[in-house]
Amino acid sequence: MIMGRGLVNRLLALFVALVALALPCAAQAEDGYQLWLRYAPLQGEALARLEAFDPHVQFASDVNNDVISGTAFQELRRGLKSLLGHPLSKSGNGGSIVLVCAYAPPEEGAQFKVFARSARQIEISAAGSNGCLYGAFALLRALSLGADLTKIDLDEHPAMPLRMLDNWDDPNGYVLRGYSGRSIYDWWKLPGHLDPRLIDYARANASIGINGVVVNSVNASPLFLTDRYIPKLKRVADAWRPYGIRLYITARFSAPKDVGGLPTADPLDPAVQAWWKARTDALYAAIPDFGGFLVKANSEGEPGPQDYHRTHAEGANTLARAVGKRGVVIWRAFVYSAEDKTDRAKQAYNEFVPLDGKFDANVILQVKNGPIDFQPREPFHPLFGAMPHTRLMFEGQITKEYLGQATHLVYLAPLWKEVLDARTGPDGTVAQVIAPTGMAGVANTGSDRDWSGSHFNQANWYAFGRLAWDPNLSSEQIAREWAAQTFSRDPAFLTKVVPMMIESRQAVVDYMTPLGLAHQMATGHHYGPGPWICDLARPEWNPCYYARADKAGIGVDRTASGSNALAQYAPSVAAQWTDPKATDEAYLLWFHHVPWDFRTQSGRPLWDQLVQRYDRGVANVDAMARTWASLQPYVDPERFADTADYLRIQSQEARWWRDASLAYWQSVNGLPLPAGTRPPEHSLDYYKALAFPEAPGN
Ligand code: GCW
């Protein structure tokens, strides 16, 4: 049968209409893979403005177009098309977005300007092509947030040169402290096959200004230093170069012995030094822009220079000389030892301050935000401000090892901001100390479709990059940007979701470790409560070490009458925490052991205040769950339901934390609960008997 043209057209129209009907539903279910780079089609005035501009993207003719500016060009086209909801017009008669970029290495040339030369021409100009790439992402972000193209006027530069992610991934695909599936690196299939996800990863990182990634865990396998891994690493580095991302690896300090066939890894042994030099040369021969090494040495059983009675500086400098001007050696300050009986909070400072000025110029010391370990709240690490002759880098943990991992909604920008904004003395803040160097975040990425174990955990990845770019951004602004790009631009959505995110951090502090407590998580998995654990051989592996609760009181005396960790801070800083009566309640039990009836600034006795804080934490999680429920109209069903489920889990577990903690504190202090307080649901024995052999980290 021959169909007439009219019939064909009608059938075609019917088919198109059916597809169009089906599309909104299909488009609605989202799995989170696109992160904040969804570029959801604009609507209303914003759409009309962009339509009227009718953008096309071009390079200025007289500049050097390298691979990175090529990425900027492609990203602009991709983003504009998506924001418009249709392909860019081919005529080229519309307004133009012109890229003016030169080439510079990833740590340089990142500053950019985006501005309107005329009503019909927007220019993105940068000293380096990576600046053009950041400018392109900034322009798309602004448009996504509803900005008028012709009024855009951005002039930005990164606050610090190194903005890095540290993956804690093992060659076998296991991610240490990972709560989002397996590793995204398939070292077995590399170099023959590169998972395109690694390119999506680089793109997401570039969009927030990240310019370096360490691909393997700090508890390092020496495999990464073998010949077999060089082509694998090269394949990844080549894939990331167009995104301005340099590849780094962690180096196992004992590698000269483990895989080099040498009898020692003594950093002062000439054969060891020659081995590091040869290995490093081999890496640079394959990857000319290789970033360098990250090292965890003499910490938690990892090998290091002290195994040979050498200092951390001697160890670091041996690697640094092998690398030379080509890159850096990032040495971690996270050390505490089984033999050292001083307060764990003091040990890194005691170890490293005497080495100030002894590190080579290309050595960076990477310092965790607080002196213990990525807790819901710690005061800033006293090394910040105490090593003026050493390049210090900030290390934060994006993966929420101690903050409820995948299922608890905790937005971390307020935690990092608290530290970045802290004054280290009369001269400045932590952000200023690290400005010449950088920030590294322990990544929360894995093979899960949503990358980060939960949709809201993506916000922490986003926030980390944005803060490394500009630590002066407010937590609110970052949350707003992220939520608008990730979920919905609707102001009715944003005015509710942003405060919910901001309050989530204090909520977790309240229900896990209120009033300056820390490290009450059960040993091993670090997920649920374990304040009663006190029988492990190394005292500092026991939660009881961090609360020192007894019949008389609770908290760690870190003043002159106790460990005097306080003296590691500049006098002007220490002064605010010396007197328990004047100490901000956020740090009260961090610095002081106080009686249960100690009168807090609220007027309530400490015990009552502690109970009140646990209750407040639980109430705030319930409030978050209610807020989220009210946001259903703005979110696709899949991501809405995932988040609602997790908030239900968090509500239950906030209660678990509160009840188990109160049951335990009561067993210690023998005090009744304040009048009107809900008693713990179960006995202390019940909470003690809970076991989670399948929890990640066990
Ligand atoms: O938070 C702790 C983790 C360890 C980790 C260590 C570190 C890589 O519990 O699993 O080991 O920090 O930062 O080195």
Side-chain angles (χ1 to χ4, degrees):
M1 188 181 79
I2 299 170
M3 285 191 284
R5 252 197 156 186
L7 182 60
V8 173
N9 282 349
R10 270 201 300 278
L11 281 176
L12 210 63
L14 183 67
F15 175 73
V16 169
L18 283 174
V19 169
L21 268 179
L23 265 181
C25 303
Q28 267 171 19
E30 292 197 40
D31 59 14
Y33 186 83
Q34 296 187 75
L35 299 160
W36 48 87
L37 294 169
R38 292 160 63 249
Y39 302 131
L42 294 171
Q43 287 166 326
E45 257 179 61
L47 178 60
R49 276 197 305 258
L50 194 58
E51 291 282 9
F53 188 83
D54 187 15
H56 70 276
V57 185
Q58 67 183 71
F59 284 110
S61 54
D62 53 345
V63 293
N64 159 26
N65 303 331
D66 72 337
V67 285
I68 304 181
S69 48
T71 311
F73 178 86
Q74 295 301 340
E75 187 69 30
L76 280 169
R77 289 182 53 89
R78 173 178 183 168
L80 289 165
K81 175 179 163 192
S82 183
L83 288 167
L84 282 165
H86 59 72
L88 306 191
S89 67
K90 289 219 170 68
S91 71
N93 295 331
S96 55
I97 299 178
V98 184
L99 284 160
V100 189
C101 13
Y103 178 77
E107 285 82 28
E108 294 159 32
Q111 68 275 21
F112 63 80
K113 288 192 170 125
V114 184
F115 59 98
R117 270 214 182 279
S118 72
R120 303 303 293 149
Q121 188 181 327
I122 311 301
E123 184 169 312
I124 300 180
S125 67
S129 53
N130 55 330
C132 266
L133 182 57
Y134 300 137
F137 278 116
L139 173 58
L140 291 169
R141 175 161 56 235
L143 289 175
S144 284
L145 298 174
D148 180 346
L149 192 58
T150 57
K151 297 210 174 86
I152 279 179
D153 189 10
L154 303 172
D155 183 351
E156 296 192 22
H157 60 90
M160 51 195 87
L162 297 178
R163 304 176 300 278
M164 297 178 55
L165 289 190
D166 293 352
N167 285 120
W168 281 2
D169 296 21
D170 288 339
N172 64 7
Y174 174 75
V175 182
L176 180 66
R177 308 304 180 186
Y179 313 103
S180 50
R182 305 275 297 168
S183 174
I184 56 174
Y185 304 98
D186 190 338
W187 297 110
W188 177 242
K189 291 196 191 128
L190 281 162
H193 173 71
L194 180 107
D195 187 340
R197 189 166 186 142
L198 287 182
I199 295 173
D200 295 339
Y201 183 56
R203 172 172 170 252
N205 280 328
S207 77
I208 50 175
I210 299 285
N211 65 355
V213 173
V214 182
V215 297
N216 62 317
S217 171
V218 286
N219 294 346
S221 160
L223 277 181
F224 288 87
L225 287 157
T226 59
D227 276 340
R228 205 159 65 81
Y229 267 66
I230 289 182
K232 298 174 190 283
L233 294 166
K234 174 179 163 43
R235 180 90 201 260
V236 177
D238 289 347
W240 286 354
R241 196 164 293 115
Y243 295 88
I245 292 180
R246 277 179 130 177
L247 179 142
Y248 298 68
I249 61 171
T250 50
R252 186 168 177 82
F253 197 79
S254 55
K257 261 170 64 184
D258 304 334
V259 292
L262 296 178
T264 175
D266 179 352
L268 298 194
D269 184 303
V272 170
Q273 295 175 342
W275 186 85
W276 282 112
K277 178 75 170 57
R279 281 292 79 200
T280 312
D281 287 349
L283 280 162
Y284 277 102
I287 309 169
D289 54 358
F290 175 63
F293 299 118
L294 171 67
V295 185
K296 171 177 177 178
N298 292 118
S299 164
E300 299 185 329
E302 296 301 304
Q306 293 178 334
D307 303 346
Y308 305 95
H309 308 287
R310 311 297 185 193
T311 67
H312 282 284
E314 286 168 326
N317 291 345
T318 289
L319 270 68
R321 282 164 205 170
V323 171
K325 287 200 163 50
R326 298 174 291 189
V328 292
V329 170
I330 304 173
W331 198 263
R332 295 178 86 228
F334 178 68
V335 299
Y336 61 101
S337 98
E339 291 77 47
D340 193 339
K341 298 292 172 237
T342 49
D343 181 359
R344 174 175 165 189
K346 293 176 67 173
Q347 293 185 27
Y349 179 105
N350 290 346
E351 186 75 52
F352 284 100
V353 168
L355 299 176
D356 190 24
K358 299 214 163 73
F359 291 99
D360 282 6
N362 61 337
V363 175
I364 290 169
L365 196 61
Q366 183 166 290
V367 181
K368 287 190 180 181
N369 56 269
I372 301 277
D373 194 8
F374 299 139
Q375 295 302 299
R377 175 172 276 136
E378 293 181 54
F380 72 89
H381 201 301
L383 277 173
F384 292 119
M387 296 187 68
H389 307 293
T390 305
R391 295 166 70 190
L392 298 186
M393 186 161 176
F394 172 107
E395 181 178 348
Q397 199 189 41
I398 307 173
T399 189
K400 305 195 322 290
E401 174 182 353
Y402 295 94
L403 292 100
Q405 302 173 5
T407 41
H408 293 209
L409 193 165
V410 185
Y411 172 55
L412 296 174
L415 187 163
W416 296 322
K417 283 285 285 180
E418 205 168 86
V419 172
L420 292 166
D421 291 347
R423 295 196 75 81
T424 62
D427 298 334
T429 62
V430 171
Q432 285 165 331
V433 170
I434 61 165
T437 314
M439 276 170 72
V442 181
N444 64 356
T445 43
S447 60
D448 281 3
R449 266 312 278 179
D450 66 17
W451 294 90
S452 302
S454 81
H455 301 296
F456 275 83
N457 274 350
Q458 297 175 355
N460 295 325
W461 178 9
Y462 183 87
F464 190 86
R466 294 292 285 140
L467 283 175
W469 181 268
D470 182 3
N472 291 321
L473 291 173
S474 72
S475 300
E476 285 81 2
Q477 181 183 329
I478 297 170
R480 175 170 288 273
E481 282 178 5
W482 174 80
Q485 295 169 90
T486 304
F487 287 115
S488 164
R489 307 179 178 103
D490 196 314
F493 171 76
L494 296 172
T495 49
K496 284 184 157 190
V497 86
V498 171
M500 179 187 95
M501 290 170 71
I502 299 293
E503 280 150 31
S504 64
R505 189 296 185 100
Q506 184 60 42
V508 75
V509 169
D510 284 343
Y511 65 76
M512 285 190 184
T513 50
L515 302 183
L517 285 174
H519 223 304
Q520 296 305 294
M521 301 77 193
T523 309
H525 54 70
H526 294 160
Y527 188 71
W532 47 81
I533 298 173
C534 216
D535 55 1
L536 297 162
R538 280 184 70 166
E540 76 283 5
W541 284 354
N542 291 298
C544 73
Y545 175 92
Y546 300 94
R548 310 279 164 103
D550 53 27
K551 182 98 187 135
I554 184 171
V556 187
D557 184 0
R558 295 196 163 104
T559 68
S561 55
S563 78
N564 210 14
L566 198 52
Q568 294 183 338
Y569 291 96
S572 61
V573 175
Q576 60 181 325
W577 297 322
T578 314
D579 175 3
K581 290 202 196 65
T583 300
D584 179 344
E585 100 170 7
Y587 301 116
L588 181 62
L589 304 179
W590 182 278
F591 286 113
H592 303 283
H593 184 83
V594 294
W596 294 101
D597 63 358
F598 172 83
R599 196 140 295 272
T600 62
Q601 286 164 9
S602 67
R604 278 189 281 264
L606 180 86
W607 173 231
D608 295 37
Q609 182 71 352
L610 200 61
V611 175
Q612 200 278 338
R613 286 297 179 252
Y614 284 111
D615 279 333
R616 185 175 78 172
V618 172
N620 280 336
V621 176
D622 290 348
M624 282 159 56
R626 282 195 303 275
T627 301
W628 185 251
S630 75
L631 297 175
Q632 184 159 17
Y634 307 97
V635 182
D636 60 283
E638 189 172 338
R639 292 187 299 162
F640 176 80
D642 286 348
T643 305
D645 280 352
Y646 284 2
L647 281 163
R648 256 190 305 280
I649 295 175
Q650 189 176 3
S651 286
Q652 285 156 9
E653 296 188 345
R655 280 177 177 73
W656 168 31
W657 263 96
R658 170 211 183 264
D659 289 4
S661 305
L662 289 182
Y664 176 66
W665 304 135
Q666 279 196 289
S667 78
V668 173
N669 64 19
L671 293 172
L673 289 167
T677 307
R678 178 179 66 77
E681 196 176 337
H682 301 284
S683 70
L684 178 57
D685 287 341
Y686 167 90
Y687 295 112
K688 283 186 174 177
L690 295 175
F692 310 98
E694 76 286 11
N698 253 345

